Amino acid sequence: MAVYFDHRIEAPSTVGSPSEIAWHHVHPLLAVASIGTNSTPAGSVDVYLEQGEHIPNAHIDRPFQPGLIRWHPSKRILAVGWQTGVVIFWSDHGWDEHQIAGGTHRAEITILEWSNDGTRLLSADKAGVLMVWRVDQHGRVQGAPLGKQDYGKHLVHCIFKPPAPGEDLVQLAKAAVSGDENALDMFNWRKVGKGDAPFKVGLQEGIVCFVTTTDGIVYYVGEKGKSIQVLRTDGPIRKLMYMEEKEILMIVTEALFLSQHRIGPDGTSQELMKVKLSGKTGQTADIIWAERELLITASGETVVRLWDLDRDENYALTLDEHLGFSTGESINCISYCESKGILAAGTSKGQIAMWRRAVVSNIGGSSIQGKDRWKLQAPIDLEGIIIQLKWGSSKNLLSVNSAGTVLILSEQMMSAHFNQQVAAVQVAPNQLSVSFFSSGNHQMLRADIHVKGVYVTKEMVVVWNGKHISVFEQFGPSLRNAGSFPCDSSIVVVHEESIYTVEPNRVQVRTLQGTVKQLLVFSETEGNPCHLQICGNFLAVGTDKAHVKVFDLSRREAKPHSNAKNLAEHIPSFGSITSVKCSFNGNNVSILIKNTSGSPDSKVFFYDVETDTINYFDFEIGKASSENCSVFHLEENEVEKGRSEMRELMGRYPVSQFWDQNEPKLFVCEAAVAAPKTRQSNVTAGSESISTEYKVDVMVASFFSTQEHGLLLQDSFPKIESHEALLGLEVPYYYFSKKSGETENDAELMSGTTSVPQVVARRPLRDFVGLEDCDKTTRDAMLNFSLYLTIGDMDEAFKSIKLIKSETVWENMARMCVKTRRLDVARVCLGNMGHARGARALREAAQEPELDARVAMLAIQLGMLEDAERLYRNCKRFDLLTKFYQASGQWQKAIENAETFDRVHLRTTYYNYAKHLEALGDQHLALSHYEKSDTHRFEVPRMLLEDLQALEVYVNKTKDRSLWKWWAQYLESQADMDSALKYYEKSQDYLSLVRVHCYLGNIQKASEIANETGNQAASYHLARQYEARDDVKQAIHFYTRAQAYNNAIRLCKESGFDDHLMNLSLLSSPEDMMEAARYYEEKGVQMDRAVMLYHKSGHFSKAVELAFATQQFGALQLIAEELDENSDPALLSRCSDFFIEHSQFEKAVELLVTAKKYHEALQLCLEQNLTITEDMAEKMTVSKDSTGLSDDFRRELLERIADCCLRQGNYHLATKKYTQAGNKAKAMRALLKSGDTEKIVFFTGVSRQREIYIMAANYLQSLDWRRDPEIMKNIISFYTKGRSLDLLAGFYDACAQVEVDEYQNYEKALGALTEAYKCLTKAKMRNQGEQEERLEQLQNKLTTVKKFVQVRRLYEEDPKEALKQCQILLEESDLDQAVRSGDVYALLVEHHAQQGNYEVAYKYMEEMAAKLPSGNVGFYINQQVTEAIYKAVGAPLKIIGVQRARHSSGEDGGEVEEEVAEEPYNDPED
């Protein structure tokens, strides 16, 4: 709460009546223009400071009147335009009349405006002459005008167009000086590109403005004074404004028409909007543009009108008589302060009305818009009619032109203090309301100074204004002035007969008369005292250098109780101290601070004097600094309770703090919601993020502070709306100052809250509700109980109160359980209270999973409705909250909650509210909510049954078919058939229409309705009517339309309509088909119809039997197509026999399979050579889950199916069935017959059986494995996996032979023989002798091949030795078993041929031809070599074998080598 101090300007005696006032934008300088009386029309201009002091060199008077006064935007320079056309300037150096030469303007100055940056001054006169002046950096006008334009018309308004945004040169220079390289580069011309400027400083050379004339023309004026007419209005212009964000020019005319225009660079204009504003025309209107979106007007009415152009809405603010305004009080002038969000209005009765604009916040609810954002304050009473208001300067001062003088109003925060059962609250600049609670006395104290501070004790009241101190003492029932003295101290505290004041580096202890009797000195390091507080006999002092010190005042002189503690050493980011408070015993000092950024810190710091330690509690995260200073000592079952308490306190910062004046353990703090941050705080690692939903603005939290248990939360509650601030704490009450003009109502007060008259309210502590007047013993017992309960020591808690028998105490403890969420204690309390209903409700609520929901039920039973509401919201049990609102009669809240959060119960809420309204007799509103609950179709007729006229109107208005039908039934009951027919037709109730027409005898009309609509119920009713009239055909027709086929069939049988009977039976149910079939069978005619009906009804056996009996083979085939496994096996067998007899074997097989006669089906397939398809085989396959057949039967059946498929050549299907039968060997044999190598390899891989591996490898050997490395790889793999190493050895032997025969690659052959030998060595053959014999043969072969390989290698180094070895090899008898002798001879022949020994070569050729059986020498020796030899020896070519291409091992052999690398042929030498 704030009060406004008014200072009347100290005007010289020679000045006249003020005509114009103007504030400087930054400095607290007020310019006042005054005019003389009619007899002496002289004028003057003066400048004043913030408290009205006149500046000595700031007075100027002239024999003519001043017209306009305008301050420079930033400098202390004032421009004054006079009636004669003179422009005079004032600065700190005095008045200057020569900057603009006299005679420049020859008529009254009507426009005098500085540009936004102060570099230009625009002046214009009544004759229409406009000039633009250049202004230097000192604010002086320089030389001749930059431009001049003569319009020849009276110019009245001017507004500068804001320049385009650019760099701030001053800030840029500061950044460059501080070392910012980017800023330095912008000043460095060398570091910018050619043609670029180093920086951009707004449009200094492009300043433009708009000016208007009296006839409504608007001109666009450029830098040099050149102008373009851009638009013309319908009349004189009252106000010219510019919307900077949208670059739109706004104009308000004298006739209150608002128009918006967009002005192009070339001067073209486009009208965007034009509207007529509300207000009195013909009167002077005060119009202002605020918040970049609001147009505010006052035109002498009783309201202020606002237009929100951004949201396109308008509204009016009115004066409230309850706050002290008079009826019919009109508003003359307005002014808006953007920094404070306050709209001030001057009235015709000498009062100032102020509306404060609420800050839109997303915390705690939805945003407020429109009229609701403006809160009217109590009026400020002044004298006379207020004709002008102006907010100004950076200090937000308000100047008022009223009753021939000017007042300056400055806002001062309200001073208030509570101490020793005395409270004083400032209500006016020099008036305080003093309340003595011990005696119940209340007084108004008026001081002779503007009070800036107050301190009270039980015997005196001390007030001061920073320069003077006044002391008032009690004298009987009143207060009297006991003395006053000058003192330049802004802080004063009082203890007994001593007054404590501050001055640099010391605290002065004074007598009540002001005499200094002691000095408490602080060193330079400790700083200057700036905070004093006394609690009990202890004084706490905080300095501007972060030191805190406590003094003991219990003796004659103050003595230090503690050393000075430097907080800056222990608190990071310390800025300054904002509050210091000490406990009653002086052992604890609590401190509030600001951090280095200047914002309030979220922590409360506690300095323990005895242990010399500092702890804190952080409201932002709800966490203390250590385990010894913790808010909650939680048991496991109390975790949820602690989190809920923390959620209410987290995200805040402390505003004020107090210690109890008699209890050293009790501390209270006022905490406000902090501004939302980008980061989220956590209570502990992994805890939930803070939610600000439903947070009240200010919470009051009380704590117990002990050395043993640290800081314990005792209670917390929201500060109610009518309370301004917390004043203090003294058990059993909290004390609050009240907002002016507001009273507390029952709905707003917490349970048990009481108030004292006027401006102070007190609220009992939670555990003292009902015990406000208890004695000290009871009070101590309750405090101990609360302490132990907070700690969690229930035994000690009950011991503390076991002697207290009052039911009020137990009720109070139950209320405490709501705050502490101790339901176990609450049950005991309810038992001692005898509150049976509450105990039962608490027991029933135990099923709720959320602790807060259970506690809310306890709060409801105790009447703590606000607590219950808050608890339901905290746990998000909006369903229970809706029920709570309904039970407590808060229907609007119930509906809002259901609409927003509990839509499941929305219709139920509407219904219950409608029932409530009906009980209250409000049928109109009840009807609306019955509709919202969708129960109006039966509830509204019931409610309005006594008022038939209203009911008929409602039925016709709603146009609801259900209501029309109900109303038609009602009219029918009243025998009003014609009206009933009309409403039945509206409701489209065709049955009722037909029924009524039949009743009235209009059966033809009823038939038309039934035929047109096709309504089944109507058709059925009409059919019954026709049947009663023996009109069988019509009855059958309408029974058919009604799909009542059984009735139509019945009539057909009775009337012999056999043709109709068949068609109707096919449309009807199986039962009706059976009856019709029996009818045809009994009749003995048209048996095909009987068979068909039996078939369609699902009685296949009867249909087949009748078909056999009547030889209807076509029908039999149709029936057989629909037989399935669920059909009768005998029927299936009979049908299959029928098809066999008629040579339809495939159909017979299908039926046998369906009848599960698989062997017969297979036999039939074999006999008739029927191909077994895959689908047929699947049908004959019995599943493993079948319970009717054994596994052996299933395997035998599958093998028979497979055998049959095998005989038919369907190898793949045979393989599948053998596999399903579990006989993988047969499956493999069948697959081998298919020759599908890919599937054989796949099947082998998945079978994993030795026999199958061997079979697959044997099969693969039959393929061209020599050219397909993948096949060779699989052969080796399968033999290895099949553990058939003897066969693998044989395969390697074969590979070796291929290498020799095909490629002559003995090296690879040697590797293959080596692998063969290894495999055979590891093999376990049944015939050991055979294995040894094979090993011996392989060894011999391996030795021979190895010798030949060595010979070929030796040939490269020693050909002679190699030739000798070849001779030795040729002499071996079994050479050809391992090495072809032809290859040995070829080596000899080719060697001698190369050496030119053709005779020797020829001899070896002849010898070779004799040894080789085939005599094909050309197979081993190149044909060209052979021809050369024969030619050399002169022998004819007797034998020329077919030349066979020799394949080098680098071709195919190389590929094989690469692919068989997994099983390499290792040389024995390696």
Side-chain angles (χ1 to χ4, degrees), residues 558-608:
K559 300 293 184 183
H561 182 65
S562 71
N563 296 324
K565 185 70 173 179
N566 187 355
L567 302 178
E569 295 178 353
H570 302 274
I571 302 175
S573 301
F574 182 91
S576 61
I577 298 174
T578 59
S579 175
V580 172
K581 304 285 183 179
C582 70
S583 62
F584 178 72
N585 60 8
N587 291 335
N588 254 323
V589 180
S590 57
I591 307 106
L592 305 183
I593 69 167
K594 288 183 180 179
N595 52 37
T596 51
S597 64
S599 58
D601 199 287
S602 61
K603 304 179 186 69
V604 182
F605 294 92
F606 295 89
Y607 170 46
D608 191 319

Side-chain angles (χ1 to χ4, degrees), residues 885-939:
Y885 282 142
Q886 295 180 35
S888 59
Q890 302 179 66
W891 290 101
Q892 290 304 320
K893 285 188 175 182
I895 291 173
E896 291 174 4
N897 183 71
E899 288 175 343
T900 309
F901 304 108
D902 187 28
R903 298 193 67 83
V904 173
H905 299 100
L906 180 58
R907 287 178 54 188
T908 305
T909 305
Y910 283 139
Y911 179 77
N912 292 336
Y913 186 37
K915 297 289 286 184
H916 172 73
L917 292 170
E918 183 182 354
L920 296 177
D922 190 349
Q923 290 187 342
H924 178 73
L925 201 54
L927 184 147
S928 172
H929 285 84
Y930 276 135
E931 289 179 344
K932 291 181 178 179
S933 67
D934 200 27
T935 58
H936 59 287
R937 296 177 182 83
F938 48 88
E939 291 293 346

Side-chain angles (χ1 to χ4, degrees), residues 79-93:
V80 182
W82 296 82
Q83 196 174 23
T84 60
V86 176
V87 179
I88 302 177
F89 296 87
W90 176 86
S91 66
D92 289 332
H93 304 293

Side-chain angles (χ1 to χ4, degrees), residues 17-70:
S17 176
S19 62
E20 182 75 16
I21 54 178
W23 279 106
H24 194 283
H25 299 292
V26 180
H27 305 290
L29 299 174
L30 176 66
V32 180
S34 306
I35 57 175
T37 61
N38 293 331
S39 59
T40 58
S44 63
V45 177
D46 298 270
V47 182
Y48 303 91
L49 297 177
E50 60 182 301
Q51 294 190 2
E53 305 98 323
H54 184 266
I55 298 178
N57 68 342
H59 172 77
I60 185 172
D61 52 25
R62 288 291 184 270
F64 39 84
Q65 295 181 3
L68 299 173
I69 50 177
R70 297 291 185 266

